[in-house]
Amino acid sequence: SGQFRVPRDGVQLLAPLGDPQKLICVGLNYRDHCGEQGARVPTDPVIFNKFPSAIAGPFDDIVLPQESSQVDWEVELAAVIGKKGRHIEESVALDHVVGFMVANDVSARDWQMRNGRQWLLGKTFDTFCPLGPALVTKEAVTDVHNLRIRCSVNGQVMQDSSTSQLIFPLPKLIAWVSRFVTLVPGDILLTGTPAGVGFFRKPPVFLKHGDEVQCEIEQLGVICNRVV
């Protein structure tokens, strides 16, 4: 209706899902992101994860950890599982999705490259996964594989791409992950980030206290997080 029952400035929006059983992420899944770092296009999806404790609300603060000096942004399309499944066929994979959100896969690049180059620790600091602003149902999205996806820092556009750049589309990702684990309602799948992250800029750019990071996906909305 365009109307509201509670004034927006009087509420704090939480993440649409705060405690999923699984928070699954995909690396190197945009062609332009592979290109900016000179990486080969993967032959299979690159899977890692964050812990649910990393989840923050769509307008909550991102807290810089004292353990890192190289915190980066990554705007991502997040898909939410709505139907349980294992060994899901690609042809019916989207039947297992209930909807979508905007996500920021905040990343501590120094820790991503340490610890045997396992990404987990660099990806899962508290507040490193803002989500929202709402769970947009699948039926409300025209074509999830053709949405503009953008990230700006302090008003400067850093990432500007399209989900048409995805190397492995959602049906492929769901089928792949479900070969290894049972997907259950509420599981969240982050599908990768496009080009424009700070780590591969010349010189590299990292988030600092007071920065404002805005992530936006067409038809899904905007999340905006201050760095503290």
Side-chain angles (χ1 to χ4, degrees):
S1 68
Q3 300 177 359
F4 57 83
R5 294 177 180 270
V6 179
R8 171 67 187 88
D9 58 6
V11 298
Q12 177 188 5
L13 289 182
L14 304 180
L17 292 164
D19 190 22
Q21 185 186 104
K22 292 184 283 296
L23 182 50
I24 304 164
C25 308
V26 184
L28 298 174
N29 198 30
Y30 276 75
R31 297 186 185 280
D32 54 7
H33 184 47
C34 289
E36 74 174 339
Q37 57 187 289
R40 292 181 180 179
V41 173
T43 55
D44 294 315
V46 177
I47 304 298
F48 63 98
N49 72 298
K50 292 175 177 276
F51 293 133
S53 54
I55 291 175
F59 304 105
D60 289 348
D61 292 337
I62 296 169
V63 180
L64 292 179
Q66 62 183 10
E67 293 83 3
S68 174
S69 60
Q70 297 183 356
V71 177
D72 204 349
W73 57 85
E74 291 192 10
V75 60
E76 305 207 6
L77 167 73
V80 180
I81 299 299
K83 178 183 175 183
K84 184 177 181 179
R86 178 83 194 276
H87 294 294
I88 300 167
E89 297 291 337
E90 288 186 42
S91 60
V92 297
L94 289 182
D95 293 344
H96 291 260
V97 174
V98 67
F100 308 102
M101 302 179 291
V102 182
N104 186 352
D105 175 18
V106 184
S107 305
R109 301 300 188 187
D110 37 10
W111 278 98
Q112 191 176 352
M113 301 302 164
R114 292 172 61 178
N115 195 41
R117 299 182 74 88
Q118 297 185 70
W119 295 358
L120 175 62
L121 292 182
K123 294 283 191 174
T124 202
F125 283 101
D126 290 352
T127 73
F128 268 28
C129 190
L131 292 172
L135 174 59
V136 180
T137 57
K138 179 176 54 182
E139 294 75 17
V141 179
T142 306
D143 180 1
V144 74
H145 295 107
N146 189 27
L147 300 175
R148 191 176 188 186
I149 180 169
R150 307 176 76 206
C151 176
S152 63
V153 178
N154 301 325
Q156 179 180 352
V157 176
M158 297 296 191
Q159 295 178 277
D160 191 354
S161 188
S162 168
T163 57
S164 62
Q165 285 275 322
L166 283 168
I167 296 167
F168 303 107
L170 263 173
K172 176 72 173 181
L173 294 175
I174 292 168
W176 177 261
V177 172
S178 71
R179 291 172 58 181
F180 304 92
V181 296
T182 300
L183 295 175
V184 300
D187 285 349
I188 301 172
L189 177 63
L190 272 60
T191 55
T193 199
V197 299
F199 188 59
F200 295 110
R201 293 180 175 271
K202 299 185 183 345
V205 178
F206 299 110
L207 295 174
K208 61 186 185 302
H209 291 277
D211 284 347
E212 186 176 86
V213 186
Q214 180 170 296
C215 295
E216 177 179 4
I217 301 179
E218 182 183 6
Q219 299 183 27
L220 303 186
V222 179
I223 63 175
C224 189
N225 306 93
R226 185 169 173 267
V227 180
V228 300

